[in-house]
Amino acid sequence: MNISYREELKELSPYKPGKPIDDVKREYGLKEVIKLASNENPLGCSEKAKEAVKAACENLSIYPDGNATLLKEALAKKYNISTDEILPSSGSDEMIDLIAKTFINKGDEIIMADITFPRYIATTKMMGGIPKIVPLKNYTYDLDGMLKAITDKTKLIWLCNPNNPTGTMVSEKDIINFLDKVPENVVVAYDEAYREYVTRKDYPMDSIKFVKTYPNVLTMRTFSKAYGLAGIRVAYTIANKEIIENINKVRGPFNVNSLAQIAAIAALEDKEFLQKCFDVNVEGKKYLYDEFEKMGLFFPPSETNHIFVDVKKNGNEVFMEMQKRGVIIRPMGGTFIRVSIGTMEENKKFVEVLKEVLNN
Ligand SMILES: *Cc1c(COP(=O)(O)O)cnc(C)c1O
């Protein structure tokens, strides 16, 4: 072919999702397969969200509200902020893209961790930015290392707290100390996809005050994890008005579909469901910690719905062997795997199969 593609695409490869459950069933002739690979909510989503979506199916021929007015109003009320400080998106995935399109010029230096959410580096490269990788320290974001990596070419810093895939977090005190030192012209994109699962008291649960104090900070939250709405694609960012106005220039006019807007509003109101998800996650985490300890496997403590664990064998092989036995997890390079915390039944099945594979 004679057509040429953007130079930046040479650096990229398409995202390879794990196999869907039905494919694994067919391939290995299994009746039952569990997936603990994508940090999905094992309890599904709020029944209220489901009911709201069903009712909204009557209006599928109508374009969504491109301004997501009702969702913005619901969020503004909940967090006591103004609607022009909020921007809903089709998942945080889309927001990460939009942030990259809003800020990154070719040649800008973009700071991120080595083991973190892969969309940060992908969108950085897509825009011709230069990734500056700061290794985790003790499986945790090295904020001092990130400060040291700042130069006059630095444009943006991706920060995931707590981190996917290691599950570790940095404290409010450390973040404030960090933000105090980041120059005002450097954007900090703060991703808190797992905030609802955090148990530690020193976590900055009120990140909105960062946005208020530091005009260069924006915070991203999603309905995909604790709210259990990964399939419908809805998230939002909070930032000062000027940043939101500029992101609005690059987003598609109807980026959040109508069912997603309705589901998110209903989900926000269902505090009981959120609490149940938190409780089940705490219980599952404790069970898995105990089992890993009994098996002599190392894991950094997790503040999320997943655990990053050293299985002391090639993680890819462990993944393949577990998949054959009907349990899908995520290999993480080297001897680490990441397992999402499931229902107790799923956790037990996972442990049983892991033991079988590791003892073979
Ligand atoms: C899952 C995840 C997201 C993406 O969530 P969506 O809203 O489903 O796009 C963003 N950031 C991190 C760190 C995640 O783990």
Side-chain angles (χ1 to χ4, degrees):
M1 281 214 292
N2 268 331
I3 51 177
S4 64
Y5 297 89
R6 284 179 56 231
E7 199 57 31
E8 284 78 12
L9 268 55
K10 284 186 185 146
E11 286 273 309
L12 301 174
S13 39
Y15 178 73
K16 281 200 206 83
K19 277 195 193 126
I21 288 183
D22 284 339
D23 288 14
V24 175
K25 278 186 186 164
R26 231 174 292 124
E27 198 170 324
Y28 300 104
L30 297 163
K31 277 210 182 67
E32 222 184 286
V33 172
I34 60 168
K35 183 167 165 244
L36 298 172
S38 302
N39 304 337
E40 289 148 340
N41 195 321
L43 304 181
C45 73
S46 157
E47 286 302 318
K48 289 179 182 147
K50 262 187 238 175
E51 289 308 313
V53 167
K54 275 183 207 156
C57 281
E58 296 302 319
N59 290 318
L60 293 183
S61 58
I62 311 292
Y63 276 104
D65 172 6
N67 184 45
T69 313
L70 295 179
L71 175 54
K72 279 188 197 169
E73 282 172 359
L75 290 164
K77 188 163 162 249
K78 183 172 166 78
Y79 296 117
N80 194 24
I81 49 179
S82 147
T83 50
D84 49 21
E85 296 170 302
I86 305 169
L87 187 57
S89 60
S90 179
S92 295
D93 268 352
E94 189 206 24
M95 187 52 71
I96 293 166
D97 254 43
L98 296 178
I99 291 168
K101 285 179 187 164
T102 302
F103 291 107
I104 303 178
N105 283 310
K106 199 176 163 81
D108 283 348
E109 293 182 0
I110 311 298
I111 297 174
M112 66 196 78
D114 56 347
I115 305 172
T116 191
F117 196 54
R119 288 308 293 171
Y120 306 153
I121 192 163
T123 57
T124 296
K125 287 179 175 173
M126 182 176 83
M127 297 311 298
I130 301 168
K132 292 284 158 184
I133 311 285
V134 178
L136 298 181
K137 213 171 180 176
N138 202 12
Y139 304 95
T140 310
Y141 264 66
D142 175 13
L143 295 182
D144 287 334
M146 289 183 135
L147 285 175
K148 282 192 196 115
I150 296 174
T151 71
D152 51 14
K153 292 203 184 74
T154 304
K155 186 57 182 285
L156 183 143
I157 303 172
W158 298 108
L159 207 68
C160 188
N161 194 33
N163 188 33
N164 175 9
T166 56
T168 54
M169 60 156 263
V170 283
S171 70
E172 171 152 20
K173 191 170 141 265
D174 289 346
I175 298 262
I176 289 173
N177 179 52
F178 171 80
L179 293 176
D180 276 341
K181 290 176 183 154
V182 173
E184 279 171 17
N185 63 328
V186 173
V187 179
V188 178
Y190 183 72
D191 183 345
E192 22 178 22
Y194 300 96
R195 66 189 290 276
E196 293 85 2
Y197 290 111
V198 173
T199 57
R200 263 171 60 177
K201 294 286 176 276
D202 57 346
Y203 180 77
M205 204 48 87
D206 177 16
S207 57
I208 292 169
K209 79 181 168 217
F210 299 158
V211 173
K212 299 279 185 195
T213 314
Y214 309 94
N216 52 329
V217 175
L218 51 87
T219 180
M220 291 179 270
R221 298 175 179 179
T222 180
F223 288 93
S224 294
K225 306 288 157 62
Y227 289 97
L229 291 171
I232 209 160
R233 314 304 301 131
V234 58
Y236 59 98
T237 194
I238 299 172
N240 80 56
K241 226 166 88 176
E242 187 193 293
I243 291 182
I244 299 291
E245 235 171 68
N246 280 281
I247 301 178
N248 261 323
K249 294 178 188 171
V250 298
R251 82 170 168 94
F254 305 108
N255 62 325
V256 184
N257 75 69
S258 51
L259 301 183
Q261 294 184 31
I262 278 166
I265 294 167
L268 272 180
E269 287 165 7
D270 195 343
K271 292 192 183 114
E272 267 166 60
F273 176 77
L274 203 62
Q275 183 63 44
K276 190 168 154 209
C277 295
F278 176 85
D279 293 341
V280 166
N281 192 65
V282 168
E283 187 194 7
K285 189 163 71 170
K286 186 179 176 316
Y287 166 74
L288 291 172
Y289 278 11
D290 286 348
E291 292 299 323
F292 290 150
E293 273 161 18
K294 280 190 247 168
M295 295 164 81
L297 301 181
F298 167 80
F299 57 91
S302 171
E303 292 298 325
T304 61
N305 65 346
H306 54 268
I307 307 176
F308 187 69
V309 56
D310 185 353
V311 291
K312 300 194 282 194
K313 280 190 177 176
N314 182 297
N316 245 330
E317 285 166 20
V318 170
F319 159 72
M320 288 303 297
E321 289 302 314
M322 291 190 76
Q323 183 162 272
K324 275 188 213 163
R325 291 164 174 83
V327 177
I328 313 174
I329 49 87
R330 183 73 57 97
M332 279 289 144
T335 57
F336 277 89
I337 63 165
R338 187 191 68 193
V339 58
S340 308
I341 299 167
T343 59
M344 207 37 108
E345 196 184 333
E346 289 171 328
N347 298 331
K348 285 186 173 151
K349 166 99 183 190
F350 158 78
V351 167
E352 179 193 309
V353 168
L354 179 66
K355 279 183 181 161
E356 197 179 303
V357 165
L358 293 184
N359 293 332
N360 251 342

